[in-house]
Amino acid sequence: MALDSDANLNSLGFAKPPAETRVVVAMSGGVDSSVVAAKLADEGYDVVGVTLQLYDHGAALAKKGACCAGIDIHDARHVAEEKGFPHYVLDYENIFQDAVIDEFADSYLAGATPVPCIRCNERVKFKDLLETAKDLDADCMATGHYIQRKTGPNGPELHSAEDANRDQSYFLFSTTPEQLDYLRFPLGHLPNKDATRAMASEYGLAVADKPDSQDICFVPDGDYASVIEKLRPGSAEPGEIVDHEGNVRGTHNGVIHYTIGQRRGLGIGGLSTPLYVVRLDVDAKQVIVGPKEMLTTRVIPVREINWLGDEPFESRAEWHVAVKVRSTRPPHDAIIRPTGSDTAEIELLTPETGVSPGQACVFYDTESSRIFGGGWIWRGY
């Protein structure tokens, strides 16, 4: 049942008492999802906590700064025990390997800069876990993501979080309308993370002061290259560093050690003009470098588009929106020109630097906090 303005609906949008409303809470073991679970339990909802084990439990215990690690499973279970609701740990190791880790490795080897957190939300948390929630006869599934679900004239809409510094819309653009109808995000309206921690203290949660997770969960130290080498032995083959005119400027010990826009660590100092990585040629084992202006991009091809607008995507020749091409960058004005049901050409009104294949391009309304979906950049320039 969709959320609306009916005063008889409970806080999750259902016309029945909280005690008769079952909600599965996706619990990562961090403060955000723990607060969501505690809040809903405190309000009297029939809460069921679910935590995903995404990699070997014993190995995960040693991983600091990663979500869904061994200590996080323990913390999630402890919150459930404190608040008196059932908690389950589901073994998703094989699913996570197939749906997220393998593609991450293959995309990186192809010269792209993948965003595995988006694929995890899309293919694991909001797909398999959501179906599990339905199997448990839950009315909805709640998460600790900082994003908002609002009701518009045509149904649920996805909106940026109230706190722009915590907004996770870039990582949730692929949420479909059907998924959005079932999902709830109780923290999206909060002014800042301090408010979340204050709630955690109010509920007496031991995780109130727990640090936020850092890096990709299976790359906790940020060393992408070493993980790729373990996943794909022999992938770090040496080659040449070549400038945009074809001149050999040096050598490298593997394309996987470089990313588009990189300047430091190239080992080709002493130049009058700084050079940046502008392209990766995996087949030729070449890192191509050039001046900064070569990183500037105005037109971006995007595919696998998830459209969340009210009108069909191809009903217009152009959509005037704002887009974000990196999670750390603000949205900038752009024009979307559909080239198919899920493909488009994006014209950036202000050119961006360092646009890379494998990153997401997320669409935002220029006049509100609404998100119109997004797609994947498949060829930088």
Side-chain angles (χ1 to χ4, degrees):
M1 183 179 297
L3 182 65
D4 60 31
S5 59
D6 191 329
N8 294 321
L9 300 184
N10 61 36
S11 64
L12 292 178
F14 298 94
K16 54 184 176 180
E20 297 176 12
T21 305
R22 176 169 292 178
V23 51
V24 163
V25 178
M27 301 183 68
S28 68
V31 62
D32 299 326
S33 57
S34 296
V35 165
V36 169
K39 177 179 185 296
L40 295 176
D42 189 65
E43 292 176 3
Y45 285 98
D46 179 11
V47 173
V48 178
V50 176
T51 301
L52 304 182
Q53 178 180 315
L54 300 181
Y55 33 73
D56 179 73
H57 183 72
L61 282 170
K63 297 188 177 185
K64 297 180 180 179
C67 71
C68 309
I71 189 64
D72 295 317
I73 294 173
H74 168 79
D75 288 344
R77 182 182 290 117
H78 184 61
V79 169
E81 290 174 351
E82 285 183 319
K83 295 303 174 183
F85 59 82
H87 174 259
Y88 302 99
V89 178
L90 305 181
D91 182 359
Y92 272 50
E93 188 173 345
N94 290 336
I95 293 174
F96 188 68
Q97 178 76 38
D98 294 340
V100 180
I101 296 180
D102 284 342
E103 183 187 71
F104 170 83
D106 293 338
S107 295
Y108 215 90
L109 287 175
T113 307
V115 191
C117 295
I118 298 177
R119 290 302 196 192
C120 183
N121 289 325
E122 174 187 310
R123 298 176 175 177
V124 180
K125 294 176 182 175
F126 289 177
K127 184 181 178 184
D128 291 278
L129 179 54
L130 190 145
E131 290 303 317
T132 297
K134 292 180 178 179
D135 290 341
L136 291 171
D137 294 324
D139 294 286
C140 63
M141 186 173 88
T143 79
H145 289 106
Y146 287 87
I147 198 166
Q148 298 188 78
R149 173 190 184 276
K150 298 183 179 182
T151 299
N154 296 297
E157 299 174 352
L158 200 62
H159 286 253
S160 299
E162 184 68 25
D163 180 7
N165 293 321
R166 303 294 303 180
D167 177 59
Q168 292 177 291
S169 59
Y170 185 84
F171 301 98
L172 297 170
F173 80 85
S174 61
T175 304
T176 67
E178 294 76 21
Q179 293 168 343
L180 188 58
D181 189 57
Y182 193 70
L183 290 164
R184 300 294 187 273
F185 308 107
L187 303 184
H189 69 287
L190 295 181
N192 50 51
K193 184 61 177 274
D194 290 342
T196 306
R197 293 195 182 279
M199 292 173 67
S201 297
E202 178 185 337
Y203 294 127
L205 303 182
V207 297
D209 296 319
K210 185 175 181 178
D212 291 339
S213 60
Q214 302 293 327
D215 300 314
I216 297 171
C217 65
F218 57 92
V219 193
D221 55 1
D223 188 356
Y224 292 16
S226 65
V227 172
I228 300 300
E229 288 184 72
K230 291 178 182 178
L231 293 170
R232 302 289 186 270
S235 59
E237 298 181 1
E240 298 175 332
I241 298 177
V242 181
D243 67 22
H244 59 292
E245 296 178 339
N247 302 307
V248 177
R249 295 286 189 172
T251 60
H252 63 78
N253 60 352
V255 172
I256 63 173
H257 295 282
Y258 300 85
T259 57
I260 303 296
Q262 180 177 336
R263 176 187 174 188
R264 299 183 183 277
L266 299 180
I268 51 174
L271 301 173
S272 58
T273 302
L275 296 180
Y276 299 77
V277 176
V278 298
R279 189 163 59 87
L280 299 172
D281 189 331
V282 177
D283 294 334
K285 300 182 179 62
Q286 289 185 334
V287 174
I288 295 87
V289 296
K292 188 174 184 179
E293 53 265 27
M294 289 189 67
L295 288 171
T296 301
T297 305
R298 179 178 289 276
V299 178
I300 307 172
V302 176
R303 62 185 178 184
E304 294 182 58
I305 289 173
N306 177 56
W307 179 247
L308 296 176
D310 295 328
E311 302 172 46
F313 183 57
E314 293 184 273
S315 64
R316 295 188 192 178
E318 294 183 349
W319 296 91
H320 291 253
V321 298
V323 302
K324 183 184 288 192
V325 295
R326 291 268 185 168
S327 63
T328 55
R329 295 182 183 178
H332 292 292
D333 288 347
I335 299 173
I336 304 173
R337 296 188 177 92
T339 57
S341 61
D342 66 349
T343 60
E345 185 177 85
I346 313 297
E347 180 184 351
L348 305 175
L349 301 190
T350 301
E352 293 256 15
T353 59
V355 176
S356 176
Q359 293 283 305
C361 180
V362 182
F363 313 148
Y364 297 82
D365 187 6
T366 58
E367 298 179 353
S368 74
S369 61
R370 187 174 179 184
I371 299 147
F372 288 132
W376 294 94
I377 301 168
W378 65 277
R379 190 175 62 242
Y381 38 81

